[in-house]
Amino acid sequence: MPVKTITLNNGVAMPEIGLGTWKADEEGILAKTIKKAVDLGYRHIDCAKIYGNQKEIGKALSELTVPRKDLFIVSKIWQNVHRPELVAGALDDILDELQLEYLDLLLIHWPYAQKPESDTMNPTVDDLDNVPIMDTWRAMEALLDSGKVRSIGVSNFNQAILEKMIPQCRVVPAVNQVEIHPYNQAPELVKFCQENNIVVTGYCPLGGTKISVMDDDFIKRVANAHACTPAQVALSWSLARGVVVIPKSTNELRLEQNLKTVTLTSDEMRMFSKIEKHERKVDPGRDLKELEWVFHEDTAACPLI
Ligand code: A2P
């Protein structure tokens, strides 16, 4: 059965379950995983320049028999191409790696800039660059006219940043991709985005490997009640909130399982608020005072909008 789609603010349909590819980069495994996933019905594949595996993904994509128009391919620009004059080239580079003529969605990976020579995931203050996010966003908007990208959006943007940004946008971001799972539920951000017609995609929807959402007693009880697995409960909870999910797995059975969700009762949905822990797995700037504005909703300290 085809995965259901959600309609973005520009009318483009995005499958609500996608395949995550971060850290799924062991040589050879990723290509096999993509082929298996597409055979199973996945059409949405979430990539990023910084994951360092787009060439392997590109090769796998080039060998698929599914028509390009049936796929929904997402990628993200890294912080070292935020200078507006670098954005179009960054998209060309991504398209080249993925062997594609266009992307369905291009995201700004994080709301702060790094210097062009800095491609680290753990920046120090010397890596940072003073590029206002709206300068980068205007360059993203210009990409829509090139036909090389159907939709544009953001990732890891908090409400304070979006509130400053939206009134200045010609094109409001179609998507905000953020870390969402039962231990990091972000209800206010989800509500704000949805009220502003921004679809939320939740990355690490299973909590990744470090956070034991799948060992949670409540989630296990709900899974028992629905004769399904804790992973399916976690994904079903996100989807019921209108949050798109991009679980990653390299295991065929789990890939298949993650496409089969269940309908949770309203009581079960309500009870999830009791297991919230505000526990984030991905927080690269946590040790850098200059990036506190990225991780905390402190607008006053957000200098670059
Ligand atoms: P594996 O590739 O062996 O299936 P997230 O997408 O939240 O980052 O979580 C990914 C992690 O969860 C991976 O380690 C993946 O391992 C595992 N995983 C993915 N799907 C399932 C599932 N249905 N049940 C249990 N673990 C899963």
Side-chain angles (χ1 to χ4, degrees):
M1 219 176 48
V3 173
K4 270 202 273 165
T5 59
I6 188 162
T7 305
L8 304 180
N9 60 16
N10 58 0
V12 170
M14 170 159 103
E16 64 179 22
I17 302 175
L19 177 70
T21 62
W22 184 34
K23 293 197 170 161
D25 52 358
E26 306 96 66
E27 192 64 30
I29 292 192
L30 182 55
K32 263 195 244 149
T33 299
I34 288 178
K35 284 183 203 148
K36 249 185 261 160
V38 171
D39 282 346
L40 289 167
Y42 286 81
R43 293 293 178 267
H44 168 175
I45 298 172
D46 183 78
C47 316
K49 173 68 187 177
I50 197 68
Y51 302 163
N53 53 13
Q54 291 192 137
K55 283 191 186 153
E56 193 178 349
I57 296 174
K59 185 164 179 300
L61 293 178
S62 74
E63 290 164 5
L64 295 177
T65 51
V66 172
R68 169 68 185 90
K69 68 172 178 47
D70 293 348
L71 297 170
F72 191 95
I73 311 292
V74 183
S75 189
K76 314 180 193 85
I77 58 167
W78 192 240
Q79 281 83 282
N80 59 348
V81 293
H82 276 211
R83 293 185 187 179
E85 66 275 18
L86 299 180
V87 171
L91 171 59
D92 286 342
D93 170 46
I94 288 172
L95 291 174
D96 197 44
E97 288 190 345
L98 290 172
Q99 301 189 37
L100 296 176
E101 288 182 357
Y102 69 91
L103 287 179
D104 295 279
L105 175 64
L106 179 67
L107 307 177
I108 298 180
H109 207 144
W110 287 89
Y112 64 91
Q114 291 175 206
K115 290 180 181 143
E117 63 279 11
S118 164
D119 61 0
T120 176
M121 276 198 181
N122 297 299
T124 65
V125 72
D126 290 336
D127 289 294
L128 302 181
D129 200 6
N130 285 328
V131 186
I133 201 67
M134 276 314 293
D135 288 4
T136 311
W137 185 251
R138 286 192 192 100
M140 294 279 287
E141 289 176 331
L143 296 179
L144 289 170
D145 304 327
S146 73
K148 292 179 185 172
V149 60
R150 294 174 77 207
S151 324
I152 51 174
V154 297
S155 180
N156 298 299
F157 278 42
N158 63 35
Q159 182 171 335
I161 301 169
L162 287 169
E163 271 171 357
K164 284 198 168 185
M165 192 179 160
I166 290 170
Q168 303 178 58
C169 291
R170 175 167 68 88
V171 178
V172 172
V175 166
N176 184 19
Q177 183 182 124
V178 289
E179 179 173 342
I180 305 253
H181 45 71
Y183 286 172
N184 190 55
Q185 305 188 6
E188 280 147 26
L189 180 63
V190 170
K191 183 166 175 276
F192 174 84
C193 288
Q194 291 176 343
E195 281 172 359
N196 284 278
N197 287 323
I198 299 172
V199 166
V200 177
T201 296
Y203 69 73
C204 292
L206 303 172
T209 42
K210 282 194 216 151
I211 299 174
S212 52
V213 165
M214 288 177 280
D215 292 329
D216 184 276
D217 286 340
F218 165 69
I219 293 185
K220 284 204 247 174
R221 274 203 307 280
V222 177
N224 274 339
H226 289 269
C228 68
T229 66
Q232 287 170 309
V233 170
L235 298 175
S236 303
W237 166 81
S238 276
L239 292 170
R241 305 168 85 210
V243 172
V244 170
V245 290
I246 46 170
K248 63 186 159 299
S249 179
T250 51
N251 172 289
E252 183 162 359
L253 286 177
R254 291 194 280 275
L255 279 171
E256 191 172 7
Q257 189 187 109
N258 294 347
L259 288 177
K260 292 184 186 143
T261 53
V262 295
T263 305
L264 303 177
T265 66
S266 44
D267 272 355
E268 287 165 343
M269 286 298 292
R270 255 196 306 278
M271 305 249 291
F272 271 81
S273 62
K274 297 208 161 47
I275 62 167
E276 167 70 285
K277 294 188 180 187
H278 305 286
E279 197 171 307
R280 281 175 70 156
K281 175 184 153 74
V282 184
D283 194 350
R286 61 192 173 276
D287 299 328
L288 209 55
K289 202 173 158 301
E290 286 74 8
L291 289 182
E292 268 176 8
W293 61 273
V294 173
F295 301 97
H296 306 284
E297 304 271 315
D298 181 356
T299 30
C302 169
L304 294 175
I305 293 187

